Amino acid sequence: METGRVVVEKVGGKSTVTSCYSKYPLKFIVPNKVGNSKCDAVWIYSLTYGGGIVSGDSISFKFNVGDGCNAVLTTQASTKVYKSMGSKCSEQVLEARVSGDALLAIIPDPVTCFSTARYTQKQVFKMVGDSSLLMVDWVTSGRHESGEKWDFDMYKSTNNIFIEDDEPLFLDTVLLEKGSISSIAERMQGYQVIAMVVFWGPKMKHIQNKVQEDVRKIMTEQLQFSSPASVHKRKRNPDYCINQPNFIASSSVFGSEGKGVVVRIVAATTESVYQFLRHQLASLEPLLGVLPYN
C-alpha cells in the first residue's frame, strides 16, 4: 500500500513540489528555502513518526521529477530501525522516475539498525532522457554507546536503475544477515560502516573523474603493503605486520561508454565517511544550494 508520493515540476521557471502526499508512518517536510535562494533546487526531508522505523512498518512511496527540475531527498538524522518483534521485518520501498535533464539527489544520513532488527529497503529508479542521479546508500554497525556492533538480525538494501524501455542499467543488493557459523561483526573485521555512492548522467559528469582520481589517491596512501619497501620488510621479518586501513574505497564505471560511476566504501568510523562525502560532493553546492552533509 502506498504511503507517500511527491511530484516535482517546473512552475514559473523554478523547480516546485506540485504534489505531496504522505500518511503514517511516513511524513515529508518541504522547506520554503534551503540555502541560496537563487539556486533552482527543491529539498524534501523524509521522516517517520516516533523517530524511526518500528518493527513491522511498511513504507512505500513514489517520486516523479519532471523535465529540467532539481530535487533532493534527504533525512534530518540517521534512519533508526528498532528491535524486531518476533520475526517481523520492517521495509521501505522507493520508486522514482526522473525525466528530461532533471536531477534527483538521494543523500540521506545512514541507516542505524538496533539489536535484533530486521530491515529491507529497495530503491528503483527509472531514468528517462538525459536525466541525472546521485544516490548515497549507507548503513552503520549500530549503537556503539550501547555496545551494539552489527548486532541486528538482517539488513538488505537493493538499488536498481533502469533506463528507457525498462532496460536494466545497474542492479545491486547488499545483504547482511546473522549466520550460524559466524556473526556479521566477525565478517566485518572491525569496520563499522558500509557505504555506496552512485553517479549517473550529465549533471554528475564533472564529479565522476575527480571522484575516481581521489579514490585512487586515497587507496595508494592507505595500501602501502604492496610497495617494494614493505615487501622487503616482510621478507626480512616474518612478524612484520601492516595496520588494517581505517578507510577503504573502490570505484568502477558502469553503463554504455562508462557513463556511470559507483564508489563503494568500508570504514572504521561514520565521521570519516561524512568527511569523504562532504569533500567529494562539494562542487554540487551551486546546483543544490547548500553543501551536502555540511
Side-chain angles (χ1 to χ4, degrees):
M1 183 179 296
E2 188 173 290
T3 53
R5 180 183 291 268
V6 174
V7 177
V8 180
E9 299 174 293
K10 281 284 189 179
V11 177
K14 296 284 290 183
S15 299
T16 306
V17 174
T18 57
S19 176
C20 183
Y21 156 79
S22 62
K23 68 177 183 179
Y24 184 88
L26 178 66
K27 183 176 182 180
F28 293 121
I29 296 177
V30 184
N32 290 328
K33 177 183 175 183
V34 176
N36 188 344
S37 60
K38 296 180 181 180
C39 174
D40 181 28
V42 59
W43 284 65
I44 302 104
Y45 290 81
S46 71
L47 61 152
T48 53
Y49 291 88
I53 296 177
V54 179
S55 176
D57 275 352
S58 181
I59 299 171
S60 176
F61 57 103
K62 295 182 178 180
F63 262 63
N64 193 329
V65 185
D67 293 3
C69 295
N70 298 315
V72 181
L73 175 62
T74 186
T75 54
Q76 292 183 310
S78 65
T79 299
K80 299 173 181 64
V81 183
Y82 293 108
K83 293 185 176 184
S84 174
M85 303 298 291
S87 60
K88 288 185 177 180
C89 184
S90 307
E91 64 175 1
Q92 182 165 275
V93 178
L94 164 64
E95 295 181 28
R97 179 183 175 89
V98 190
S99 304
D101 60 346
L103 164 66
L104 175 60
I106 309 288
I107 50 175
D109 290 291
V111 172
T112 299
C113 294
F114 290 17
S115 176
T116 74
R118 299 181 61 84
Y119 175 69
T120 67
Q121 66 177 29
K122 183 176 183 179
Q123 299 184 129
V124 180
F125 304 96
K126 177 68 176 294
M127 311 303 296
V128 181
D130 289 328
S131 56
S132 300
L133 175 69
L134 164 64
M135 190 275 295
V136 179
D137 183 22
W138 51 323
V139 60
T140 72
S141 61
R143 299 179 297 175
H144 289 192
E145 68 279 5
S146 301
E148 296 179 6
K149 293 182 179 180
W150 306 111
D151 199 32
F152 49 83
D153 286 356
M154 192 265 287
Y155 167 87
K156 182 179 181 181
S157 178
T158 298
N159 291 284
N160 295 339
I161 305 174
F162 297 87
I163 52 179
E164 292 170 278
D165 298 325
D166 292 327
E167 179 183 346
L169 174 68
F170 180 87
L171 307 176
D172 183 88
T173 296
V174 172
L175 174 63
L176 300 174
E177 189 170 19
K178 274 190 175 179
S180 58
I181 299 176
S182 62
S183 66
I184 300 172
E186 288 172 327
R187 297 195 296 271
M188 290 305 300
Q189 300 184 18
Y191 291 106
Q192 306 301 324
V193 186
I194 297 176
M196 181 174 71
V197 189
V198 174
F199 304 89
W200 171 261
K203 291 184 179 179
M204 295 293 103
K205 186 62 179 176
H206 70 287
I207 299 180
Q208 294 176 6
N209 293 337
K210 181 181 183 300
V211 168
Q212 293 183 86
E213 182 60 31
D214 286 350
V215 168
R216 280 193 289 268
K217 289 180 180 178
I218 290 170
M219 297 317 300
T220 298
E221 295 172 359
Q222 288 275 22
L223 302 177
Q224 297 294 333
F225 62 86
S226 60
S227 67
S230 63
V231 170
H232 181 66
K233 288 180 180 179
R234 288 201 299 276
K235 287 181 177 179
R236 295 188 60 183
N237 181 7
D239 295 328
Y240 176 78
C241 63
I242 300 157
N243 292 330
Q244 177 174 289
N246 291 323
F247 187 98
I248 296 178
S250 68
S251 66
S252 57
V253 299
F254 66 90
S256 61
E257 301 177 0
K259 292 182 179 179
V261 170
V262 55
V263 178
R264 301 181 190 275
I265 299 165
V266 292
T269 66
T270 305
E271 182 54 36
S272 65
V273 181
Y274 271 120
Q275 290 176 355
F276 177 85
L277 293 172
R278 282 193 290 265
H279 178 71
Q280 300 303 326
L281 304 181
S283 62
L284 287 176
E285 183 175 1
L287 184 63
L288 302 183
V290 296
L291 176 65
Y293 296 110
N294 187 20

